[in-house]
Amino acid sequence: MRNIPRRLKHYILFLFLTSFIVFYLLYINNTNFDLEFLLTFILLSIIAESLPIPLPNEGAVSVGFAISLASIIIGGPLVGALVTAFGFLFRVVKAPGRKYLHLFNTPMYKTIFNVSQIIIVIGISGIVYIKSGGVVGSGNFIKNPLPILSTFIVYILLSTTIMAELMSILSGQNIVKIWMKNLRWIIPNTAAIGTLGLIIALAYFALGAFAVVIFFGPLLLARYSYKLYMDMRHVYMETIQALTNAMEAKDAYTRGHADRVGMYAVKLARALNLSDRKIENIKNAAILHDIGKIGIDDQILKKPGKLTEEEYQKIKQHPSIGAEILKGVNFLKEVSDIVRHHHERYDGKGYPDGLKENEIPVEAAILAIADVYDAMTSDRPYRKALSKEVALSEIEKNAGTQFNPEFAKMFVKVMKNDNEKGMLANAN
């Protein structure tokens, strides 16, 4: 705990004390407690929480909410909170490329945060279920949608708010922006997993505890299907990276260029509040934006001196070649258009189509700035790298002619803030 920020310590302490109060309220109002049911659902919760699915943004999702919701409906808020808390406490998770993580090798403050926040979220969601008309232990819950809907809403609001505050503390980003971003993906995820929870509760009331174990199978199957989808996306991304590596292997001067352009472009896209889908497309386009240079003669690409007009015209073909390569790949069709237009200029003097101002796709306009910035700050066969300050000055100077003025202004602001943060970190 000594090495974590003071604000994070205070936040974890606040959650711990709040969870204690919530748990006490649940305990004194509890009227239904079946030990056999509790142990069975705790076991299912441990299994569900031990099988999270990694997401591209380094987060993860599990199917544990289905068990939590069924526990609330069958056993009440206290049972729901206990089932979920023990599920988190005793889960065994395999981290990508690392060993298995469990209670005894996880930092204590992380365990306190996870258990505290889940007691608050599930406990209060369960209280709302009862207060809005839900009857614990009744199989007729499906005839009254209001308590279920209220539980869903409270669960989503509480879980996204608690996690957004945590991420805001850790990253320094605006909590509202993080909250809105989390809200977009958690709503469909909660609806899908929650529906499975309702089915599990129905199975319990109709057929008994054994049926719950049987219906737990489809829940894991749903999790497996989603994992296959995420694995497929991972394979796609590895294919993209392999294509880029093959292209960059032709020219040592551009090694790492695509990754850096992707990093700068994503920073700018996030600052402009673009959707997750657009940001992902920009990232993929950044990685692949020069793939068309595969079709350009090496002698032209590596020429140390000034290009002739004929050679320059051949270089200008690489966005079109790249777009043609990508448009035949189904999952890269949207990326193809960005790649084609990443050398367009705001004043219409770019290529290949001479688009101007708002005719240029937003994603391509962002990529253009990131591409030029990295090119200026990298060594090339014909010149040494410019300093970051000089490169940003050039971006400012060409705002409204070469670059979208709004995007250029924001990019300079983002990069200067990054530099200041880096200097402060070094000073500390």
Side-chain angles (χ1 to χ4, degrees):
M1 290 283 282
R2 284 181 299 178
N3 296 327
I4 65 175
R6 179 179 297 179
R7 189 179 163 198
L8 180 57
K9 286 181 185 176
H10 292 165
Y11 185 52
I12 294 174
L13 179 61
F14 168 75
L15 291 177
F16 175 73
L17 295 176
T18 304
S19 70
F20 187 82
I21 294 170
V22 171
F23 187 81
Y24 175 73
L25 292 174
L26 295 175
Y27 181 76
I28 61 174
N29 289 291
N30 179 66
T31 57
N32 189 357
F33 204 92
D34 183 330
L35 185 59
E36 184 179 349
F37 166 81
L38 181 66
L39 293 176
T40 302
F41 271 65
I42 284 176
L43 178 61
L44 297 179
S45 181
I46 292 171
I47 295 172
E49 297 298 346
S50 297
L51 299 170
I53 303 167
L55 297 175
N57 62 2
E58 298 181 0
V61 295
S62 82
V63 293
F65 177 61
I67 303 300
S68 303
L69 181 61
S71 301
I72 291 173
I73 295 171
I74 301 168
L78 177 62
V79 172
L82 285 173
V83 163
T84 315
F86 277 109
F88 266 84
L89 195 61
F90 293 112
R91 64 181 177 174
V92 180
V93 179
K94 189 176 189 309
R98 298 166 59 189
K99 59 184 179 181
Y100 283 93
L101 302 176
H102 49 73
L103 173 64
F104 302 108
N105 65 2
T106 301
M108 182 61 71
Y109 72 91
K110 289 187 177 180
T111 301
I112 294 172
F113 172 83
N114 284 329
V115 174
S116 299
Q117 64 97 9
I118 209 61
I119 287 176
I120 295 170
V121 173
I122 298 300
I124 294 179
S125 298
I127 292 172
V128 169
Y129 176 73
I130 294 174
K131 295 296 182 184
S132 57
V135 179
V136 173
S138 171
N140 292 325
F141 69 90
I142 203 70
K143 297 178 181 177
N144 184 9
L146 179 61
I148 299 295
L149 183 62
S150 302
T151 305
F152 272 52
I153 293 172
V154 171
Y155 172 82
I156 289 170
L157 291 177
L158 283 176
S159 56
T160 51
T161 302
I162 290 174
M163 292 309 296
E165 174 62 15
L166 173 68
M167 293 167 71
S168 175
I169 292 172
L170 295 175
S171 67
Q173 297 180 55
N174 184 285
I175 183 173
V176 177
K177 288 183 180 178
I178 298 173
W179 185 77
M180 293 295 292
K181 184 178 178 181
N182 287 342
L183 201 62
R184 282 195 287 269
W185 72 264
I186 199 172
I187 290 176
N189 182 68
T190 301
I193 301 299
T195 301
L196 291 171
L198 298 180
I199 294 172
I200 288 175
L202 284 172
Y204 178 86
F205 289 122
L207 304 169
F210 181 69
V212 173
V213 178
I214 294 175
F215 276 86
F216 191 61
L219 183 64
L220 294 183
L221 184 61
R223 179 258 177 201
Y224 179 67
S225 299
Y226 188 63
K227 185 175 185 302
L228 284 181
Y229 168 71
M230 295 305 297
D231 287 347
M232 183 180 67
R233 287 171 56 89
H234 183 64
V235 171
Y236 283 161
M237 293 310 299
E238 286 186 333
T239 304
I240 290 172
Q241 194 65 56
L243 284 170
T244 302
N245 292 343
M247 190 273 298
E248 290 188 345
K250 296 176 65 177
D251 184 1
Y253 282 97
T254 61
R255 195 160 296 159
H257 171 66
D259 287 338
R260 292 192 299 273
V261 171
M263 178 180 66
Y264 299 139
V266 167
K267 283 184 179 181
L268 178 54
R270 285 179 176 158
L272 294 169
N273 289 323
L274 265 61
S275 67
D276 288 347
R277 184 183 181 87
K278 287 189 174 181
I279 291 175
E280 185 175 354
N281 283 338
I282 288 172
K283 185 177 179 181
N284 291 341
I287 293 172
L288 288 165
H289 72 283
D290 280 339
I291 196 71
K293 287 184 178 176
I294 285 178
I296 308 297
D297 194 315
D298 279 5
Q299 291 184 342
I300 298 177
L301 288 177
K302 298 178 182 177
K303 185 175 180 179
K306 187 177 179 181
L307 298 175
T308 65
E309 179 59 27
E310 183 182 358
E311 290 168 337
Y312 183 54
Q313 291 304 319
K314 288 185 177 178
I315 284 283
K316 287 169 68 176
Q317 293 174 7
H318 80 271
S320 304
I321 296 172
E324 284 299 313
I325 292 172
L326 299 177
K327 77 176 185 181
V329 183
N330 190 45
F331 78 100
L332 292 175
K333 282 182 179 174
E334 294 181 34
V335 172
S336 168
D337 202 39
I338 305 172
V339 169
R340 180 177 180 85
H341 297 299
H342 77 276
H343 276 296
E344 305 286 1
R345 290 172 50 114
Y346 193 74
D347 56 11
K349 296 179 180 177
Y351 60 89
D353 298 323
L355 302 183
K356 63 180 180 180
E357 300 182 5
N358 294 333
E359 294 173 350
I360 304 170
V362 168
E363 298 93 326
I366 289 172
L367 184 55
I369 296 173
D371 185 28
V372 170
Y373 176 76
D374 187 68
M376 286 193 290
T377 53
S378 305
D379 286 332
R380 292 298 166 100
Y382 45 88
R383 61 153 174 77
K384 287 291 183 184
L386 303 177
S387 69
K388 293 180 179 178
E389 291 74 18
V390 172
L392 291 177
S393 175
E394 286 296 313
I395 299 284
E396 281 183 314
K397 191 186 301 180
N398 289 285
T401 53
Q402 184 173 356
F403 308 117
N404 179 304
E406 178 192 351
F407 296 176
K409 182 179 177 182
M410 181 60 78
F411 183 76
V412 171
K413 181 181 176 182
V414 168
M415 296 309 296
K416 284 184 175 177
N417 285 342
D418 268 11
N419 287 342
E420 288 175 4
K421 287 178 183 175
M423 290 170 67
L424 286 173
N426 291 334
N428 292 330

